[in-house]
Amino acid sequence: MVVTVRLRRVSDWPKVRLHVVTGKGGTGKSTVASALALALASGGRNVLLCEVEGRQGIARMFDVDPLPYQERRLTTGLPDAAGGRGVVHALHIDAESALLEYLSMYYRLGRAGKALDRFGVIEFATTIAPGVRDVLLTGKVYEAVQRNSRNKSAIEYDAVVLDAPPTGRITQFLNVSNELAGLAKVGPIKSQSDTMMTLFRSPRTAVHLVTVLEEMPVQETADGIAELRSAGLPVGGVVVNQVRPRDLSSDDLAAARAGTLDRARVEADLAEGGLAVGPGLVDGLLAEAADHAERRALEDSQRELVTGLGVPSYELPRMAGGIDLGGLYELAGLLRTQGMA
């Protein structure tokens, strides 16, 4: 695999240690989270990439075995200008394992906690009280961010990237103190949620939103930003994913939409390329050009709306043939050159 080393623009987020990545389903938020982790893990930096939705998306993205509830070395990061790389670690967080760990740490239940799991008590608790479930999931992320050099038994991470729930649930997911207000007034889990909120509302956290240039995802992104701000949660940037290539000039796009492309010129170009020119081929190409131009016009209108959101924005191209590890490194390089990492 050949990795192109690009010069790094100064990061837009130098103080951020927790990068939360959310987005409407289908926009590629897991891809963006993975690429961001690779971009951040350069020059000897350790980065933790976490997921909390139970889909094992990280394992599929990097083509590795399903991840356990344990931090694992995943791969090396994107090299910096001097060729220095860091390491990306991965963690699959599930609520049941997090609750067992919580019970062991705070209540010393040990084997008794595992017995509760066998009886289904843990599943019942995390289902009946979703606010508790979110505290458990985010609590593990909080612990990874807050580590320092005094904790010799665990890796100290320079950044943590969280592949978070979709935009429609992200504010509820992060606003754990509010969600627990009606469930727990006092006690260790309430105290833990309040402590976590000091991180989630601080400049050390940024919630990045992923969208594509379509009306519904862009509107959901705008609504998500408004909800995050209303809850006092720090909005990061917007990543516009799966952007189509700009193969035609503005004049050609306008002509294609109007149906006034030079037919003779198209025929001449086809003939020059050694293709057999027939009316059916030319008609089909002109129809495809018109559809492409219409789509580009719609995308440009949505891009203007993204620009008007008042936050930094970044663009990633549509990758023909899907995303493999080489493609992730390519996207990581683009995020870095645009200043996201």
Coordinates of all heavy atoms in Angstrom, one line a residue, residues 96 114-127:
E96 N -23.6 -4.0 28.7 CA -23.6 -5.1 29.7 C -22.2 -5.2 30.3 O -22.1 -5.3 31.5 CB -24.1 -6.4 29.0 CG -25.5 -6.5 28.7 CD -25.9 -5.6 27.5 OE1 -25.0 -5.3 26.7 OE2 -27.1 -5.3 27.3
K114 N -21.4 -11.2 37.7 CA -21.6 -12.1 36.6 C -22.8 -13.0 36.7 O -23.5 -13.4 35.8 CB -20.3 -13.0 36.4 CG -19.1 -12.2 36.0 CD -17.9 -13.1 35.8 CE -16.7 -12.2 35.4 NZ -15.4 -13.0 35.3
A115 N -23.1 -13.3 38.0 CA -24.4 -14.1 38.2 C -25.6 -13.3 37.8 O -26.5 -13.8 37.3 CB -24.4 -14.5 39.7
L116 N -25.6 -12.0 38.1 CA -26.7 -11.1 37.7 C -26.8 -11.1 36.2 O -27.9 -11.2 35.6 CB -26.4 -9.7 38.2 CG -26.5 -9.4 39.7 CD1 -26.1 -8.0 39.9 CD2 -27.9 -9.7 40.2
D117 N -25.7 -11.2 35.5 CA -25.7 -11.2 34.0 C -26.4 -12.5 33.5 O -27.2 -12.5 32.6 CB -24.3 -11.1 33.5 CG -24.3 -10.9 32.0 OD1 -25.3 -10.3 31.4 OD2 -23.3 -11.2 31.3
R118 N -26.1 -13.6 34.2 CA -26.7 -14.9 33.8 C -28.2 -14.9 34.0 O -29.0 -15.5 33.2 CB -26.1 -16.1 34.5 CG -24.7 -16.4 34.1 CD -24.3 -17.8 34.6 NE -24.3 -17.9 36.0 CZ -23.3 -17.6 36.8 NH1 -22.1 -17.2 36.2 NH2 -23.3 -17.7 38.1
F119 N -28.7 -14.2 35.0 CA -30.1 -14.1 35.3 C -30.9 -13.0 34.4 O -32.1 -12.9 34.5 CB -30.4 -13.8 36.8 CG -30.1 -15.0 37.6 CD1 -29.1 -15.0 38.6 CD2 -30.9 -16.1 37.5 CE1 -28.9 -16.1 39.4 CE2 -30.7 -17.2 38.4 CZ -29.6 -17.2 39.3
G120 N -30.1 -12.3 33.6 CA -30.7 -11.3 32.8 C -31.0 -10.0 33.4 O -31.6 -9.1 32.9
V121 N -30.5 -9.8 34.7 CA -30.8 -8.6 35.4 C -30.1 -7.4 34.7 O -30.7 -6.3 34.6 CB -30.3 -8.7 36.9 CG1 -30.4 -7.3 37.6 CG2 -31.0 -9.8 37.6
I122 N -28.9 -7.6 34.2 CA -28.2 -6.5 33.5 C -28.9 -6.0 32.3 O -29.1 -4.8 32.1 CB -26.8 -6.9 33.2 CG1 -26.0 -7.0 34.5 CG2 -26.1 -5.9 32.3 CD1 -24.6 -7.6 34.4
E123 N -29.4 -6.9 31.5 CA -30.1 -6.6 30.3 C -31.4 -5.8 30.6 O -31.8 -4.8 30.0 CB -30.5 -7.8 29.4 CG -31.2 -7.5 28.1 CD -31.5 -8.7 27.3 OE1 -31.1 -9.8 27.8 OE2 -32.1 -8.6 26.3
F124 N -32.1 -6.3 31.7 CA -33.3 -5.6 32.1 C -33.0 -4.2 32.6 O -33.7 -3.2 32.2 CB -33.9 -6.4 33.3 CG -35.0 -5.7 34.0 CD1 -36.3 -5.7 33.4 CD2 -34.9 -5.0 35.2 CE1 -37.4 -5.0 34.0 CE2 -35.9 -4.4 35.8 CZ -37.2 -4.4 35.2
A125 N -31.9 -4.0 33.4 CA -31.6 -2.7 33.9 C -31.2 -1.7 32.8 O -31.7 -0.6 32.8 CB -30.4 -2.8 34.9
T126 N -30.5 -2.1 31.8 CA -30.0 -1.2 30.8 C -31.1 -1.0 29.7 O -31.1 0.0 29.0 CB -28.8 -1.8 30.0 OG1 -29.0 -3.1 29.5 CG2 -27.6 -1.8 31.0
T127 N -32.1 -1.9 29.7 CA -33.3 -1.7 28.8 C -34.3 -0.8 29.4 O -34.9 0.1 28.8 CB -33.9 -3.0 28.4 OG1 -32.9 -3.8 27.8 CG2 -35.1 -2.8 27.4

